[in-house]
Amino acid sequence: MPSFDHPTESVFTWAAPPLKFGLGALAEIGEDLQAHGVRHPLILTDPGVAASGVPDRVAHAVKTAGLDVDIFDRVAVEPTDASIEEAVAFARSGPWDGYIAVGGGSAMDTAKAVNLLTTQPGTLMDYIAPPIGGGEVPEQPVRPLIAVPTTSGTGSEATTICVVDLLSLRLKAGVSHPRLRPALAVVDPLTTLTVPPAVTAASGMDVLTHAAESYTALSFDARPAFPDAKARAAFCGANPVSDVWCEKAMELVGTHLRRAVMNGNDLSARYGMAYASAVTGMGFGNAGTHIPHANAYPIAGAVENYQAEGYPPMPMVPHGQAVASTAMAAFRFTFPSNPQRHLRAAELIGGRPVDPDEGAEALPRVLRELQRDIDMPTGVSAFGFTEDDLDTLVSGTLKQSRQLSVTPRPLTAQAAARIFRESLSNW
C-alpha cells in the first residue's frame, strides 16, 4: 500500500450493474422495465439474433407487462461508425424512453452508443478515447438500458465500454464512462443454446482473455495518482475485488468451454459459460484489459478478406478470435511483471497445478491446449496478415491508450512487433 505522499494511486473503484441471472430470467423483463420507469422501450438487435426469436420473446414479455415496445433489428455484427450512425438516427426518430440490447457485444455496444448520442451533444468521435478521439466526458443523464446477452463472451452487460470499428481509420477504438454501464443485466442461459460452435468458441475465448488480462494487469496502486476523482479512469488496474471475479471466471471457462463448444445443448456447460461471462464483466470492466485487446483492435480494423465460420458473410475477425490470437505471446511477454499471477492463471484455466519451473511458458501452454481443442484459428496469419503488415498492426496497437495504461510491462514498438511476429502461427 503506497503512502499518501507517494505519487502513485491509492484508491481503486469498482462498480457493476444489478444482475438478474438464471433459467427463465427473460420472462420478467417487463417488470424490470417498469421498476426503472420505462414505458416504451426500443429493442436493439442484429438480424441473426432476430432470426433466433429471442428479441420477439423479449417483446412478448414487455407487452405482457402492458408496455409498448418496438424493435430495431439492423445492428451490425462488429459495429462500425456508419452502423452506429444508422442506429442513432433511428433512435432519434421515435418516442422511446429506454433501451433493451438483445444479442452479443455488438448489440450491447451499439445500444450504449445510441444511449450516449441520443442524450448528449456531439458526435461519436468526441467521446472516443484519445489519441484517436476527443475523450470528452458525457455530462447529461442517460436513459435506462437493460442488457440481455445471447452469447457468453463480451461481458458488455456489466461494463462501461463501447467498442466501434472506425472505417475511415481501419482501426477499432472505444468509449468508456460509468454512464454507459447498463442499468440492469438480465442473463438467461437459455438464450445461448442456439449459438453455433465457432461462435461459442470465439466468445468463450473473449471471456477468458478478459479475465486473464485483468488479473495480470498493472496493479491500481502502481499507477500514477490521478489529480482528482473525475479524472480517475474507469480501467483502474488490477484490484482485490476484480481479482475475485477474474479468478472465478478463469476456473469456469476452463471447466465449461470445451463442453459448450462440443455440445451446444449441454445446459450445464451453457449455464457455466453464461455465469463466467457475467462475472468476468464485473472484473475486467473495472480493472481493465491490456495487450491482447490492444492488439485485437488493429487486427479487426485492418482485415481485408477473412470470413469467419458461423458469422455473417463479410470480411471480419470476430473479437474473440482477434484477442485470442496474440494472447499466448502477450502473456509470455508480461510474465516477468508478476510470475505468480501468470502461474495461478494457468492453474485456474488448466484445472491442475503447474510446475513453477515451466515459468513463462505455463500460461501460453494452457491457452494453446484449449484453443486447439476448440478449433480456434492458428494465429494472426490465419486472418491473412503477414510480416509485411506488422507496422500497421503495431501502429494501431500503440494508439490504444485505454489498454496500454494498465499494461503491466511497458510496451514498445519493438516488443509489440515481436508479439505479433510470434503470433503469426501459434502451433
Side-chain angles (χ1 to χ4, degrees):
M1 178 68 65
S3 61
F4 288 116
D5 61 352
H6 198 272
T8 56
E9 186 57 82
S10 60
V11 174
F12 72 87
T13 59
W14 186 91
L19 171 66
K20 177 172 284 191
F21 183 98
L23 305 178
L26 211 57
E28 301 176 3
I29 198 166
E31 292 121 289
D32 297 327
L33 289 162
Q34 289 175 324
H36 285 86
V38 177
R39 294 294 176 265
H40 192 168
L42 174 66
I43 295 172
L44 295 110
T45 191
D46 67 69
V49 175
S52 75
V54 175
D56 287 334
R57 286 168 50 201
V58 173
H60 176 74
V62 173
K63 292 174 182 176
T64 300
L67 306 181
D68 294 324
V69 63
D70 296 289
I71 298 177
F72 175 82
D73 62 2
R74 298 196 299 277
V75 166
V77 176
E78 302 292 329
T80 67
D81 42 5
S83 73
I84 294 291
E85 286 181 11
E86 179 187 4
V88 169
F90 183 88
R92 285 175 174 158
S93 70
W96 303 292
D97 58 353
Y99 303 109
I100 309 171
V102 182
S106 298
M108 290 184 279
D109 285 5
T110 297
K112 290 176 183 178
V114 166
N115 207 4
L116 173 73
L117 297 175
T118 56
T119 57
Q120 316 291 320
T123 67
L124 182 64
M125 284 301 295
D126 292 330
Y127 297 95
I128 293 284
I132 300 168
E136 291 189 15
V137 174
E139 301 286 354
Q140 303 300 318
V142 296
R143 298 185 178 97
L145 165 61
I146 294 181
V148 181
T150 60
T151 64
S152 300
T154 68
S156 189
E157 66 271 19
T159 74
T160 64
I161 306 155
C162 160
V163 178
V164 182
D165 188 352
L166 303 172
L167 294 176
S168 62
L169 300 178
R170 301 189 69 199
L171 185 68
K172 277 195 171 187
V175 180
S176 181
H177 189 271
R179 290 189 186 275
L180 298 187
R181 185 179 282 114
L184 174 67
V186 177
V187 183
D188 187 338
L190 293 173
T191 67
T192 69
L193 290 176
T194 60
V195 178
V199 180
T200 300
S203 55
M205 285 307 303
D206 194 20
V207 175
L208 188 57
T209 52
H210 280 150
E213 288 174 59
S214 298
Y215 192 63
T216 58
L218 183 69
S219 178
F220 79 94
D221 56 7
R223 300 189 65 176
F226 293 99
D228 53 53
K230 286 187 69 174
R232 187 170 287 118
F235 276 9
C236 64
N239 63 80
V241 180
S242 290
D243 288 349
V244 173
W245 298 116
C246 292
E247 286 192 344
K248 185 61 177 177
M250 288 187 281
E251 178 186 355
L252 286 164
V253 174
T255 301
H256 295 290
L257 180 55
R258 288 177 175 87
R259 287 167 47 200
V261 172
M262 294 176 188
N263 178 8
N265 292 317
D266 184 335
L267 188 56
S268 173
R270 291 294 196 183
Y271 192 100
M273 285 305 302
Y275 184 43
S277 181
V279 301
T280 302
M282 297 176 186
F284 91 87
N286 295 277
T289 53
H290 57 79
I291 296 175
H293 271 73
N295 291 344
Y297 294 150
I299 288 173
V303 70
E304 293 185 350
N305 297 309
Y306 178 73
Q307 295 194 19
E309 179 186 350
Y311 290 85
M314 55 184 283
M316 62 170 284
V317 180
H319 182 61
Q321 292 186 8
V323 294
S325 67
T326 67
M328 286 160 271
F331 288 123
R332 188 178 296 118
F333 171 75
T334 58
F335 178 83
S337 68
N338 196 325
Q340 286 306 116
R341 288 214 168 205
H342 287 71
L343 293 172
R344 177 60 175 155
E347 289 182 345
L348 289 165
I349 298 165
R352 60 184 183 274
V354 299
D355 183 351
D357 291 340
E358 196 175 0
E361 290 304 316
L363 184 51
R365 173 187 57 78
V366 169
L367 293 174
R368 185 183 307 110
E369 291 172 355
L370 176 57
Q371 291 195 49
R372 292 184 70 169
D373 284 349
I374 60 176
D375 201 24
M376 290 289 286
T378 57
V380 176
S381 62
F383 310 136
F385 295 109
T386 69
E387 288 258 359
D388 294 340
D389 300 302
L390 293 186
D391 287 346
T392 296
L393 297 174
V394 169
S395 175
T397 292
L398 297 180
K399 293 176 181 176
Q400 305 302 326
S401 60
R402 186 163 50 89
Q403 281 76 25
L404 298 185
S405 67
V406 293
T407 296
R409 182 179 178 185
L411 185 70
T412 64
Q414 293 75 19
R418 184 167 74 251
I419 289 171
F420 276 115
R421 187 173 292 110
E422 289 179 10
S423 302
L424 286 170
S425 181
N426 290 305
W427 61 84

